[in-house]
Amino acid sequence: NSGKSTTSALLKEMGWPVVEVDDIAQEKNNGIWPESEAVLDVLFEEANDEVIKLDNVMYVTSFLDRSDVERFYNAGFKIIELHATYEELRRRRISRDGYPMDNWERFDRNYNNYKKLVPDISKYFSLSVDTTSVDSKELASLLDKELRR
């Protein structure tokens, strides 16, 4: 809910090759979004293993653990981190999915795990953007400039 999908759609329009982990996971699961967290986690790891072998792509994913961040960084990927306040992420999630949303527990767990991880992996970030109050077009322009560097 930090603006990844909206921004990546704008970057696609600008001509950037974009690969989204959600699309890969759903495709690998016969076109159906996995209901099981365990299955989803396995599909995400499989997607990571496939995408890391690609050249010149923008990979959109909601979370990489420390070892995956290091793997992608060492493979030459720029790591661009998008974040927003917890309240804004929650507001966007409700706006997108309605309320009440199932699986708040996973949402909270992922958010808290991510917040613990950031200080340890931030050295790998080419760019970190707080998207709480950034317009998607402005964000796409900023990312376009960073990717061209």
Side-chain angles (χ1 to χ4, degrees), residues 85-103:
T85 63
Y86 176 83
E87 294 76 18
E88 181 62 13
L89 293 171
R90 200 171 156 103
R91 184 194 68 74
R92 291 175 185 174
R93 188 69 174 260
I94 292 168
S95 175
R96 186 187 71 196
D97 297 340
Y99 191 90
M101 187 195 90
D102 291 341
N103 222 344

Side-chain angles (χ1 to χ4, degrees), residues 59-76:
Y59 183 41
V60 180
T61 183
S62 55
F63 184 79
L64 296 174
D65 65 21
R66 180 184 168 68
S67 64
D68 284 329
V69 169
E70 289 175 345
R71 277 192 329 141
F72 276 90
Y73 179 84
N74 290 330

Side-chain angles (χ1 to χ4, degrees), residues 105-148:
E105 182 180 315
R106 181 177 171 101
F107 180 87
D108 287 343
R109 184 176 62 249
N110 287 346
Y111 179 83
N112 290 323
N113 288 340
Y114 170 75
K115 290 309 262 186
K116 290 177 194 171
L117 182 64
V118 166
D120 193 36
I121 62 170
S122 61
K123 63 186 172 196
Y124 299 110
F125 298 164
S126 295
L127 181 65
S128 177
V129 181
D130 182 347
T131 65
T132 301
S133 58
V134 176
D135 174 82
S136 296
K137 290 181 181 177
E138 180 184 350
L139 179 58
S141 177
L142 178 66
L143 297 183
D144 178 62
K145 287 177 189 170
E146 176 60 30
L147 293 168
R148 290 181 189 283

Side-chain angles (χ1 to χ4, degrees), residues 6 12 23 32 46 57 62 76 110 131 138:
T6 303
K12 279 182 187 177
D23 295 342
I32 301 165
E46 289 176 6
V57 297
S62 55
N110 287 346
T131 65
E138 180 184 350

Side-chain angles (χ1 to χ4, degrees), residues 37-89:
E37 288 182 35
V39 170
L40 186 59
D41 290 342
V42 168
L43 294 173
F44 278 6
E45 278 304 314
E46 289 176 6
N48 291 347
D49 291 343
E50 290 176 15
V51 172
I52 201 165
K53 298 173 188 171
L54 301 176
D55 290 323
N56 300 314
V57 297
M58 179 181 194
Y59 183 41
V60 180
T61 183
S62 55
F63 184 79
L64 296 174
D65 65 21
R66 180 184 168 68
S67 64
D68 284 329
V69 169
E70 289 175 345
R71 277 192 329 141
F72 276 90
Y73 179 84
N74 290 330
F77 280 74
K78 288 184 177 186
I79 309 294
I80 299 174
E81 184 253 1
L82 305 179
H83 63 273
T85 63
Y86 176 83
E87 294 76 18
E88 181 62 13
L89 293 171

